Amino acid sequence: MNAVSHSVPRGIAARLVLPAGTLAAVAGAFVYVGAVDPNEPGHYPACPLLRLTGLYCPGCGGLRSAHAVAHGDLLAALQANAPAVLGYAAFAVLWTVWVVRAVRGKPLRIDPRPVLLWSLGAFVLVFTVVRNLPFGGWLHP
C-alpha cells in the first residue's frame, strides 16, 4: 500500500486550492486588521474622499467594522459599517457554495441578474447619501 491510497483524491485537492487560498488571504487580512486597530490614528491611510470633502464614502468604517468582527463584536461592526458586515456574510455564503461545488467537481458560476446588480448599486448609493445627510448621523463610522 502506498501513501497516495490514504490521501484525499488528487482531483478534489486540486479543486480546493483556489478556495483554500482565497480563504487564507481573507483570514490573513482579518487577522491583521484584528491585530492592528484602525481606531488608533496612523495605522492606515485616511479615506481620500473624507479627507478632501468631509463626506463619508460607502466604505468608510469598513476597517473598523472588520476589526470589530475579528473581535466578535457584531454590534460595533454593524455600527461602523452595516453594509460591510452584510458583505462579509455574503462572502462566507459564496465561499461555502464555492467549496461544495468544487468538492462535487462543478464550477462556481456567478451570474447575477441585472436587477440584483442595479439594486445593490441603488442600496449603496442611498446608504452613501443618507449617511452624509444631517439625519443620517447614526450611519457615521
Side-chain angles (χ1 to χ4, degrees):
M1 204 184 265
N2 59 30
V4 175
S5 65
H6 291 292
S7 66
V8 175
R10 291 178 95 155
I12 292 175
R15 290 190 304 262
L16 292 175
V17 167
L18 285 176
T22 300
L23 181 62
V26 170
F30 269 86
V31 166
Y32 181 81
V33 173
V36 181
D37 190 352
N39 294 301
E40 295 178 17
H43 293 294
Y44 300 96
C47 172
L49 183 68
L50 182 61
R51 176 174 274 175
L52 293 173
T53 67
L55 297 173
Y56 294 103
C57 78
C60 281
L63 285 174
R64 281 174 250 164
S65 177
H67 180 79
V69 167
H71 288 272
D73 190 349
L74 186 59
L75 183 59
L78 288 167
Q79 289 172 338
N81 191 317
V85 175
L86 295 174
Y88 309 148
F91 171 80
V93 168
L94 185 61
W95 184 86
T96 302
V97 169
W98 187 14
V99 168
V100 169
R101 290 186 65 83
V103 166
R104 293 179 179 169
K106 298 179 181 181
L108 176 64
R109 296 189 201 278
I110 302 174
D111 187 22
R113 303 279 188 252
V115 70
L116 175 63
L117 296 176
W118 282 103
S119 298
L120 286 172
F123 172 75
V124 170
L125 179 63
V126 169
F127 171 74
T128 304
V129 169
V130 170
R131 80 186 319 202
N132 285 291
L133 293 174
F135 63 86
W138 58 280
L139 292 173
H140 292 178

